Amino acid sequence: MSKIVLKGNIAFTPTKEKFQIHKNSYIIVEDGKVVDICSELDKSYKNYTIQDFSDKLIIPGFVDLHLHAPQYPNRGLGLDKELIPWLETYTFPEEGKYSDLDYSRKVFSRLINELWRVGTTRSGVFASIHKESTKLLLDMFIESGLGAYVGKVNMDRNTAPYLTENTRASIVDTEEIIKEYMNKSSLVKPIVTPRFIPTCSEELLESLAGLAIDYKIPVQSHLNENKSEIIWVKELFPNSENYASVYDDFNLFGQTSTIMAHCIYNTDEEIDLMAKNGVYAAHCPYSNYNLSSGIMPVRKFLNKGVPVGLGSDISGGNSLSIPNIIAGTIQASKMAWINSNKELAPLTFSEGFFLGTKGGGSFFGKVGSFEKGYEFDALVIDDSSLSDINELSIEERLQKFIYIGDDRYIVERYVKGRRIEKPFD
C-alpha cells in the first residue's frame, strides 16, 4: 500500500457554491485516494512519507473535458474564420496527416508534455480517424501517467475525401480499439467518438451506439456549436425534433456516460433532455469566441442540473490552460448575464473553479476534489511571488493564480497519488 502525506494550504470545491479551505494542514493519501485532511498529524501517520510544502497551495488537478489531439499543430491558425470554413481550410488537412505514425508521435509527445505543463491531469480527447495513430495516442497517455479518455474519430460522409471512412471499416476499427484498451489501464480508456451528426451516416451512428452499449463505453461528440451546423443537421434529419434528439434517437445521448461539447444554442427541451439523461456539457469559451460561434449560457444548464465541465477545444481554442479557461468561463458568463437582461447570474469564482476540477472530473469518477475516497489528482502551487505585497486569504491567493499565474508556479503534479514528472524528452 502506497502511503503519502502532503502538508500545505489545501483548497478545493466539494460543491460549486464555496471553497473548502484547510490552512497549513495535512492531506493523507493511501493507494492513490484521499483518506483524511487534518490540522495535526495523528501518530498513526508518523511513518508515512511526508512532503512538506510549507505555505504553498495544494489544489486538485485540472480537467480538460474536450480537446482534439491532432489539431495541436494548428493552435493560433485560422481563428478569423467560422466553424465550417475553419474545418475545411485548416482542421481537415491537418487531421489527414495522422496515417504517419512518426508525425503522430512528434505531435502527441508535445501535446502530452503541454498538458502536464499546464496542470491538466485528466482529459477527454478526440484522436483522428486513423486506428494505429489512435492506439499510439492511447499508449502514450498510458506511458505519461496522466488520465484520459481517447476516441478514434468516426466520419463516413460530408467531409474531405481523405477523411471519409468506409462505414464498416470505421466500426471494425473502433471495436478493435475498444477490446484492446478497455481494460489495459485504470487511467486511460477508449471512448466512442462520432465526430458530429453531419459527418456520420445512420448506419454508423447506430453501430457506434451498439458498441458503446455492448462494451459499456462512454461517448463524446459535438452539439449545437454553430447556427449553420444546426440548420445542416435539420436538413439531414428533418423528422427529428432537434439536434440533441438525433443523438438520443440513436442511443448516443446518455445511454452510456456522454460528453457533448459546446451546447451554445440548446433549446430548453434539449437542456431538459441532457439533465434527464445525465449528459455532460463541455463548455469551451475560447473556441466559441475564436470561431464566432456564440456564448453558452452556462447558468441555465447549472440551474437545470446538467453536469458541466470545461474544455480547451484546441485548436478552435488557442490555449490548453484550464486556469485561463476558468477565467474565460467567468468572463463569458458575465456577457451572458448582460445579454439575458441580467436574468442569468454570472458565475462566481468558486463555480468557475469547480467546473475546471470536480465538474469535469466527475466524468472520470471520484476525481477533481479532495473529499474522502477521491482519487488524489493534485497540483502544488508556489504563488509566493504573486502574493508578496498584501496579505491575502487562501481563496484570494488561488484567484490570483488562476487569473494572472501560469505553469511556472506549478511545482508538483500528482495523478491518483503518483507524482508525475515531464512525460517525454
Side-chain angles (χ1 to χ4, degrees):
M1 177 186 291
S2 63
K3 303 174 181 179
I4 59 172
V5 177
L6 277 68
K7 182 183 180 183
N9 296 306
I10 300 162
F12 58 103
T13 44
T15 68
K16 65 181 184 297
E17 284 73 26
K18 66 178 182 178
F19 281 90
Q20 189 171 130
I21 305 290
H22 298 265
K23 191 171 182 178
N24 193 29
S25 295
Y26 301 87
I27 184 165
I28 295 95
V29 180
E30 296 179 354
D31 282 346
K33 295 183 179 180
V34 176
V35 172
D36 200 5
I37 299 174
C38 50
S39 57
E40 298 291 336
L41 198 60
D42 186 84
K43 63 181 181 181
S44 61
Y45 301 124
K46 295 295 185 182
N47 63 335
Y48 285 29
T49 300
I50 299 175
Q51 298 289 328
D52 188 349
F53 291 108
S54 169
D55 194 39
K56 297 177 178 63
L57 305 175
I58 302 174
I59 65 173
F62 297 117
V63 179
D64 189 336
L65 211 53
H66 181 69
L67 67 94
H68 294 262
Q71 294 179 25
Y72 181 77
N74 276 0
R75 289 169 309 145
L77 297 178
L79 299 182
D80 55 348
K81 298 182 180 294
E82 290 190 41
L83 174 64
I84 303 303
W86 171 79
L87 286 170
E88 294 171 346
T89 306
Y90 285 95
T91 302
F92 290 156
E94 179 61 31
E95 291 193 11
K97 298 177 181 179
Y98 289 83
S99 58
D100 183 338
L101 293 184
D102 289 335
Y103 183 76
S104 299
R105 185 180 299 277
K106 180 179 180 180
V107 172
F108 297 158
S109 61
R110 294 184 183 186
L111 165 69
I112 293 170
N113 278 348
E114 186 161 350
L115 288 169
W116 172 88
R117 181 176 65 81
V118 298
T120 297
T121 51
R122 309 267 178 151
S123 304
V125 184
F126 280 55
S128 65
I129 65 166
H130 306 95
K131 178 181 68 175
E132 295 305 326
S133 179
T134 301
K135 288 185 178 184
L136 176 63
L137 183 56
L138 282 153
D139 287 332
M140 292 179 73
F141 264 109
I142 292 170
E143 183 181 350
S144 76
L146 300 176
Y149 279 110
V150 178
K152 176 206 165 305
V153 168
N154 296 271
M155 299 190 288
D156 67 346
R157 65 172 180 173
N158 296 330
T159 185
Y162 51 85
L163 292 176
T164 302
E165 300 178 278
N166 171 274
T167 305
R168 176 45 47 187
S170 181
I171 296 161
V172 169
D173 286 353
T174 300
E175 184 169 23
E176 180 179 323
I177 291 168
I178 290 171
K179 287 180 175 179
E180 184 172 341
Y181 287 91
M182 61 186 295
N183 296 313
K184 192 170 185 177
S185 165
S186 63
L187 284 170
V188 180
K189 300 283 188 180
I191 184 168
V192 170
T193 307
R195 187 185 202 104
F196 66 154
I197 290 297
T199 59
C200 298
S201 67
E202 295 185 24
E203 180 186 352
L204 183 58
L205 292 170
E206 185 176 353
S207 297
L208 291 175
L211 293 178
I213 292 168
D214 289 347
Y215 292 103
K216 297 181 175 59
I217 300 295
V219 172
Q220 62 180 354
S221 196
H222 300 84
L223 177 65
N224 289 323
E225 180 177 1
N226 176 281
K227 288 184 177 180
S228 61
E229 167 203 4
I230 295 167
I231 294 169
W232 193 8
V233 170
K234 188 62 178 176
E235 291 171 350
L236 292 169
F237 292 90
N239 295 324
S240 293
E241 182 179 353
N242 49 49
Y243 198 157
S245 68
V246 179
Y247 285 112
D248 194 44
D249 290 344
F250 284 97
N251 293 318
L252 290 164
F253 207 70
Q255 287 74 21
T256 63
S257 300
T258 303
I259 302 168
M260 287 288 154
H262 301 293
C263 301
I264 298 169
Y265 298 104
N266 285 36
T267 64
D268 288 342
E269 291 76 16
E270 288 175 306
I271 298 174
D272 289 341
L273 184 60
M274 291 182 76
K276 176 185 174 183
N277 290 9
V279 173
Y280 280 67
H283 178 38
C284 309
Y286 278 14
S287 176
N288 298 344
Y289 288 151
N290 289 335
L291 300 179
S292 305
S293 298
I295 298 173
M296 175 187 171
V298 176
R299 176 64 66 193
K300 185 180 288 188
F301 287 74
L302 296 178
N303 286 347
K304 291 200 171 189
V306 175
V308 179
L310 304 182
S312 65
D313 193 31
I314 62 162
S315 65
N318 56 289
S319 173
L320 269 173
S321 167
I322 294 300
N324 288 350
I325 292 159
I326 290 171
T329 292
I330 296 170
Q331 292 159 354
S333 76
K334 293 179 179 180
M335 297 301 99
W337 173 60
I338 292 171
N339 291 339
S340 68
N341 292 319
K342 299 187 177 181
E343 291 182 6
L344 299 175
L347 299 181
T348 64
F349 177 57
S350 68
E351 289 176 316
F353 187 85
F354 177 91
L355 297 184
T357 53
K358 187 178 178 181
S362 60
F363 189 80
F364 296 81
K366 290 188 173 183
V367 171
S369 182
F370 293 151
E371 297 156 74
K372 290 181 182 180
Y374 270 64
E375 295 182 356
F376 186 67
D377 290 11
L379 306 175
V380 179
I381 311 297
D382 183 355
D383 67 324
S384 54
S385 63
L386 291 176
S387 56
D388 60 351
I389 298 177
N390 297 313
E391 185 174 351
L392 301 174
S393 69
I394 301 301
E395 184 174 337
E396 288 171 331
R397 287 170 56 183
L398 181 53
Q399 190 170 23
K400 260 186 171 286
F401 166 71
I402 293 295
Y403 274 90
I404 65 172
D406 56 43
D407 59 277
R408 292 172 295 176
Y409 300 94
I410 304 174
V411 296
E412 298 285 0
R413 300 150 177 88
Y414 292 83
V415 176
K416 206 172 180 180
R418 177 189 167 205
R419 181 176 173 270
I420 305 297
E421 297 184 354
K422 183 180 177 181
F424 301 106
D425 295 328

